[in-house]
Amino acid sequence: MHNEFIRENLIKINKKIEDAARKSGRNIEDINLVAVTKTHPLDYILDAYELGIDSIGENRVQELMDKYYGIPKELNINFIGQLQTNKVKYIIDKVDLIQSLDRESLLTKIQNEAAKRGIIANCLIQINQTKDDNRAGIGYDEIEVFCEKIAACPNVKVRGLMCVAPLGLNEKEMRDVFSKMSLAFWRLKCYNIDNIVPEILSMGMTDDFELAIEEGANMVRIGSGIFGRRL
Ligand SMILES: *Cc1c(COP(=O)(O)O)cnc(C)c1O
């Protein structure tokens, strides 16, 4: 262990996840924790791995490439940042889950790059919570049409939904965001569309993961709560 504080933070976070899970009638095993290691050095990743973390999250292609060869092969790598289409080729065979599938041009690119390599790319659809078109994500009213496009992409497998809650919401507004996501997730489960196997609802970060779990999240992405503030 290089950094003892990571152990202490993880114990606290796991306790909170357990409490939130219990509150919503679920087990801690049903909640997947992605440790968000963006901006942090490789030795933080190795510490997290040693402490039993099985999934990490990175949001920059270059940073992921720099760390990649030091990351233990057993770790699941989640890409959680906005992804430029011209960079898909660098990470497509390195990441286990692209959580930020947020537009049609990216879908097309992922399909093409995955097909070239004969692999299946696992993705989550990132949902935009605001009507603001500058923010990343598919709007609720666009999900169905987007799913039809996914059905035509045999090298893409969509495993669920992801969102980042807007900043500055009070508790009730945050619960609304998360419960709307839960509803969209359950609806997706009912669709029965090719290449879509909804099993992951990724929502909740350091400041809001307990509410997210209570509203149905089964994957939370936590960075500063485990590794401290980003530089
Ligand atoms: C940085 C980031 C996180 C983690 O944020 P914390 O507040 O540090 O827990 C989660 N999800 C995404 C998409 C991020 O970019």
Side-chain angles (χ1 to χ4, degrees):
M1 280 290 295
H2 308 82
N3 305 282
E4 199 56 41
F5 70 93
I6 295 176
R7 183 199 305 276
E8 285 159 26
N9 286 342
L10 253 181
I11 290 171
K12 284 185 211 145
I13 293 285
N14 277 321
K15 176 80 175 61
K16 288 181 179 172
I17 291 175
E18 197 173 349
D19 289 346
R22 192 178 303 117
K23 250 177 144 175
S24 60
R26 289 181 295 160
N27 297 319
I28 192 167
E29 296 81 41
D30 301 331
I31 316 292
N32 290 295
L33 169 60
V34 175
V36 176
T37 48
K38 68 187 189 196
T39 77
H40 294 302
L42 191 58
D43 64 344
Y44 282 32
I45 295 179
L46 299 176
D47 286 346
Y49 177 60
E50 200 176 309
L51 292 166
I53 286 291
D54 60 12
S55 296
I56 60 164
E58 290 283 339
N59 73 334
R60 293 214 135 101
V61 170
Q62 188 57 55
E63 184 182 342
L64 174 58
M65 303 290 285
D66 291 343
K67 293 175 182 171
Y68 183 71
Y69 291 96
I71 298 174
K73 291 285 162 281
E74 294 78 9
L75 275 177
N76 290 310
I77 301 177
N78 290 253
F79 193 82
I80 59 172
Q82 197 156 21
L83 182 52
Q84 288 173 257
T85 48
N86 62 350
K87 293 189 175 160
V88 170
K89 58 178 179 282
Y90 300 121
I91 64 158
I92 187 91
D93 56 355
K94 298 187 176 61
V95 301
D96 297 283
L97 185 64
I98 297 172
Q99 296 207 10
S100 46
L101 173 53
D102 60 0
R103 60 196 191 282
E104 197 182 333
S105 59
L106 182 59
L107 173 66
T108 305
K109 191 66 177 181
I110 291 173
Q111 164 57 32
N112 291 343
E113 294 293 338
K116 257 191 227 171
R117 293 165 179 78
I119 58 174
I120 302 285
N122 291 301
C123 302
L124 303 181
I125 303 174
Q126 183 170 355
I127 304 297
N128 182 357
Q129 300 302 318
T130 64
K131 289 279 173 192
D132 179 354
D133 284 337
N134 293 323
R135 285 191 59 130
I138 303 294
Y140 285 108
D141 51 357
E142 301 165 335
I143 294 178
E144 237 178 297
V145 172
F146 195 60
C147 286
E148 286 165 20
K149 308 250 155 69
I150 293 163
C153 296
N155 294 79
V156 172
K157 191 156 273 180
V158 163
R159 300 206 166 271
L161 303 178
M162 175 271 218
C163 82
V164 178
L167 293 172
L169 303 185
N170 65 32
E171 180 177 329
K172 167 157 192 324
E173 291 164 334
M174 233 141 41
R175 278 195 193 277
D176 283 349
V177 164
F178 294 140
S179 67
K180 259 168 99 178
M181 281 289 289
S182 278
L183 194 63
F185 180 59
W186 286 106
R187 207 171 278 147
L188 194 65
K189 281 186 178 241
C190 298
Y191 281 169
N192 192 14
I193 303 169
D194 283 355
N195 311 323
I196 303 184
V197 193
E199 39 199 34
I200 300 171
L201 181 57
S202 172
M203 55 186 194
M205 308 171 23
T206 296
D207 291 332
D208 57 17
F209 71 91
E210 291 152 288
L211 289 181
I213 291 170
E214 287 172 31
E215 297 299 329
N218 60 20
M219 178 178 280
V220 293
R221 311 175 306 268
I222 300 181
S224 45
I226 299 172
F227 301 109
R229 285 184 52 194
R230 284 180 287 277
L231 301 174

